[in-house]
Each structure stands twice: as structure tokens, then as C-alpha cells.
Amino acid sequence: MSKILVTGGCGYIGSHTIVDLIENGYDVISVDNNTRSTPRILGGVEKITGKKIKNYKVDLCNFDDTFAIFQENTDIIGIIHFAAYKSVGESVLQPLMYFENNLNSLINLLKCVHEFQISHFVFSSSCTVYGNPDKIPVTETTPMKPAESPYGLTKQMGEQIITEFAKANTANCILLRYFNPVGAHPSILIGELPIGRPANLVPAITQTAIGKLPQMTVFGDDYDTRDGSCVRDYIHVSDISHAHTLALQYMIEGKNSSKCEIFNLGSGDGTTVLEAIKAFEKVSGVPLNYIVGPRRPGDVIAIYANNELAKKDLNWELKYSLEEMMTTAWKWELRLKTDEKFYSGKPSELN
Ligand code: WQD
């Protein structure tokens, strides 16, 4: 079987992608230093797939340790690179930590791609690279505006590094720009494990609804949008994950038309924060305790994807609706309540 290395395999999208890769016949190993994740999530992957996943607890910023993984696994044909810090707010407070971690790890990985002649490289990018777009929906050729945070800048720089690397090396590369991944695997055996107070909307909603958070704040309802709250493109994490498998297959089958291609992974629908809350209340039956507060600095007013390229070239078909995103997110929150220790969001307690 073709072996794929998934970096950040104990993370939210990484673990869901491992499930999809296995279900599509790939052999998978993970590398994750578990500073912001727990290897316990691979127990959920095993329950779903029946496969035990080996995780190398390695920091990709350590070149020698990273290199050793490839020496031990000379049958790796592709890499899906998720591992990175991803908190917009934290990146504003600690930019150097973000540049060092997100870029050094990428460069070390690309050195190994070159050294071991790995054929296929998929990069976890983000709609954050568009900044505050002038025109929506955004296509893959929508010009990038200045990044709104150091986190977003690491994604813009990462894309540029990979683009130049692909020109000078044999590897084929694909950059996948996620919009807002939400929800949990339909088995409700894996899902998002925010550490500490969640910054993202949907875990903030579900934690408020279950009583982990006393109340939620909607960050502004005075924007120039249909109901005054920000517009985003929410997309189910399992739809995002399957797109990674399709991107690999696209390159393995030689269908890529250039050395480095870009795809938007969004639902193509714009949803406001207040509409997302209403969708949650509808599927859960739980009225949400929220207030409207001041705008959050750095928030993009409105963005959603034109996803036609991924649908056409990758044969990507979306399976989950906004209601199903909210339903699986809520069922996962309920699962976390019953299984607090196993899925605790504090990895240090569980390693
Ligand atoms: C969505 C909307 C908030 C929390 C995220 C990630 C970023 C990137 C893209 C991966 C905004 C509002 C939120 C709350 C709120 N992902 N909100 N109250 O900012 O679009 O970016 O997705 O690359 O890393 O951060 O997502 O979920 O934080 O916010 O009103 O308690 O929900 O203001 O309008 P965002 P988000």
C-alpha cells in the first residue's frame, strides 16, 4: 500500500484526514509532538478504521529527528502537512514563535522531500491568506491582501516557499485553502479538542450550550452585512478531509497541470454568525445564551469561497449541510461530557 505521512495527525483535521486516507486504501503514519494535541485521538481513529496508527512524537523544527522518520520509512510516497500553530490571537501576541514554528517545520520537511525524493506534498493553507477581500466569493486567483495576523502571514509565506520549492524540485505540490472547518466525524468518535477557552465560533457555541462556558459573545453586529454579523464559509471537517485524499489521488494519477496547484475548500455558502447560532439552536433544541459585544480586532467582515475548481478538478462533492455540521459538533460536545478524561482538551494530562 502507498504510505502517507500526515504531520499534525493527532489534530482536528489531521485525525479526520487519516480516517479518510485509510478508508481509501492508504497506509498512514503520523508525526505530532502533541504540544497542542493528544495521541489519544488516534484511539478514536482506530475504533473507526480498525487500524492502529503509529505517531512519531517529534518536533518538526528538529531537523535530525525529522530526517530520522524518513530514514525509517523509505516507502513514504506523499506528505500531508497540517502541523502548525493556528491561533490568530496568539500569533499577534507572539509573532516570532509563529514564524519560527510554522516556517522552520515546513522548511525541514521540504528538505526531507528533496532528500528522499518524495513525490507528492499537500499543504494545509487557509482562506486567511486572502485577508479582507474586496470581492466575494473568492476564487484561487483572487489577489491576496495583506495578512490580518502573523498566523495568516505564515500561511502566505508557506505558500510562497512551497511554490518556489516546487519549481526547483521533482515533487508535485498542492495548496489547500480551508475556510472554516467545523463539526465532527459522523461516528462521533473523533472531533475538535480545543485547548482552553475556544477562540473559534462553533466550539464556543457548543461549550456555551453544554454549560462549560457561562455565556458567549457575538463579536459585533454592526458590520455591513445582512444581519450585521460577520460572514464566513463553514465546511464540515469530513468534507475537508476527503478533499485531501482526492488531492493526493489527483497527483498520483498525474492529473495535475502544474507543479504547484491551489484549491479553495469551502462550501461556497456565506453564513453570518447569527445565522450559525440559529442553525445550532434549531438542531440542538438548546437556546444559546449569548450577548452582542464589541468587534474582534483582525476579523474579516465577510468571506466565502468559490469552490468550483476543487469540484471540477478533484471531483470533490460536498456531503454535509450546515445543520449536519452543527448536529455533529453538538453530539461531539455531548460525548466529551460523558468521556471527560479520555478526550480531555489538556493533552499534558493524557500523554
Ligand atoms: C468566525 C466568526 C468571529 C467566536 C478561523 C481560524 C483561522 C482559520 C480560518 C484555519 C468571526 C465570530 C467567534 C466567538 C464570535 N482557520 N465569533 N464569537 O476568525 O474566521 O478564523 O478560520 O486556518 O485559523 O481562526 O473563525 O471561528 O474564530 O470566527 O462572534 O466566541 O465568529 O468574530 O466573525 P475565523 P472563528
Side-chain angles (χ1 to χ4, degrees):
M1 277 193 287
S2 305
K3 182 178 276 185
I4 306 297
L5 172 67
V6 173
T7 76
C10 298
Y12 176 39
I13 307 174
S15 54
H16 284 78
T17 300
I18 290 176
V19 168
D20 198 89
L21 287 167
I22 291 168
E23 289 177 343
N24 283 277
Y26 291 93
D27 180 22
V28 182
I29 54 172
S30 165
V31 54
D32 193 316
N33 64 6
N34 296 138
T35 54
R36 304 203 170 183
S37 63
T38 168
R40 288 293 185 92
I41 207 76
L42 296 180
V45 171
E46 186 176 351
K47 283 180 189 159
I48 298 168
T49 64
K51 289 278 174 67
K52 191 163 184 52
I53 303 300
K54 179 175 179 56
N55 179 58
Y56 288 84
K57 191 173 176 180
V58 160
D59 183 345
L60 294 171
C61 291
N62 181 314
F63 177 71
D64 293 342
D65 291 350
T66 303
F67 191 85
I69 297 170
F70 290 87
Q71 284 181 310
E72 193 177 311
N73 297 275
T74 53
D75 52 349
I76 293 171
I77 65 150
I79 296 170
I80 302 182
H81 179 39
F82 293 104
Y85 294 156
K86 70 156 188 116
S87 165
V88 171
E90 183 185 49
S91 77
V92 171
L93 300 173
Q94 303 199 60
L96 285 185
M97 183 177 85
Y98 269 67
F99 293 124
E100 183 175 46
N101 183 69
N102 291 6
L103 299 180
N104 284 352
S105 53
L106 171 62
I107 290 166
N108 283 345
L109 213 43
L110 292 176
K111 284 179 179 175
C112 293
V113 170
H114 170 75
E115 196 59 39
F116 292 90
Q117 291 296 291
I118 307 293
S119 303
H120 313 293
F121 188 82
V122 179
F123 178 63
S124 164
S125 189
S126 164
C127 62
T128 313
V129 303
Y130 293 110
N132 236 324
D134 294 329
K135 191 168 166 294
I136 49 176
V138 293
T139 69
E140 289 80 357
T141 55
T142 295
M144 286 189 197
K145 303 291 285 298
E148 296 288 324
S149 68
Y151 159 76
L153 188 50
T154 68
K155 290 300 181 183
Q156 288 181 341
M157 294 166 77
E159 289 197 357
Q160 288 158 13
I161 289 167
I162 295 163
T163 301
E164 293 308 317
F165 172 82
K167 288 175 189 168
N169 286 271
T170 55
N172 290 309
C173 302
I174 284 183
L175 312 175
L176 297 178
R177 291 175 179 167
Y178 314 152
F179 283 70
N180 289 56
V182 297
H185 188 268
S187 67
I188 316 298
L189 288 168
I190 55 174
E192 192 168 7
L193 282 174
I195 299 172
R197 188 185 177 90
N200 294 134
L201 178 65
V202 172
I205 288 175
T206 58
Q207 287 196 13
T208 302
I210 206 156
K212 264 176 114 170
L213 294 175
Q215 188 175 63
M216 211 201 96
T217 303
V218 170
F219 297 135
D221 68 349
D222 57 349
Y223 287 99
D224 182 16
T225 64
R226 55 182 175 268
D227 64 15
S229 62
C230 291
V231 175
R232 291 289 184 277
D233 180 327
Y234 298 99
I235 172 98
H236 195 282
V237 62
S238 293
D239 278 330
I240 290 259
S241 303
H242 187 53
H244 289 74
T245 305
L246 294 173
L248 266 180
Q249 282 162 336
Y250 174 76
M251 292 190 284
I252 290 169
E253 291 163 10
K255 293 179 178 168
N256 53 304
S257 50
S258 78
K259 294 298 299 325
C260 187
E261 293 189 34
I262 300 171
F263 294 98
N264 280 342
L265 297 186
S267 65
D269 298 322
T271 302
T272 71
V273 173
L274 293 171
E275 288 165 350
I277 289 173
K278 285 190 187 70
F280 173 79
E281 291 177 324
K282 181 179 166 206
V283 301
S284 66
V286 175
L288 195 70
N289 176 10
Y290 71 90
I291 55 166
V292 176
R295 294 180 174 190
R296 180 173 70 173
D299 261 341
V300 164
I301 300 165
I303 187 167
Y304 63 96
N306 174 316
N307 61 6
E308 291 311 314
L309 197 61
K311 285 181 174 176
K312 179 172 72 68
D313 288 2
L314 302 182
N315 294 321
W316 186 47
E317 289 172 17
L318 293 166
K319 282 176 65 181
Y320 299 90
S321 66
L322 180 65
E323 286 68 28
E324 287 164 318
M325 293 176 214
M326 294 300 178
T327 299
T328 53
W330 179 231
K331 286 182 176 175
W332 171 247
E333 192 66 62
L334 291 166
R335 154 67 60 98
L336 291 178
K337 192 168 176 63
T338 59
D339 209 344
E340 199 69 44
K341 182 177 181 318
F342 184 77
Y343 285 107
S344 151
K346 304 176 188 63
S348 53
E349 288 173 7
L350 291 173
N351 287 346

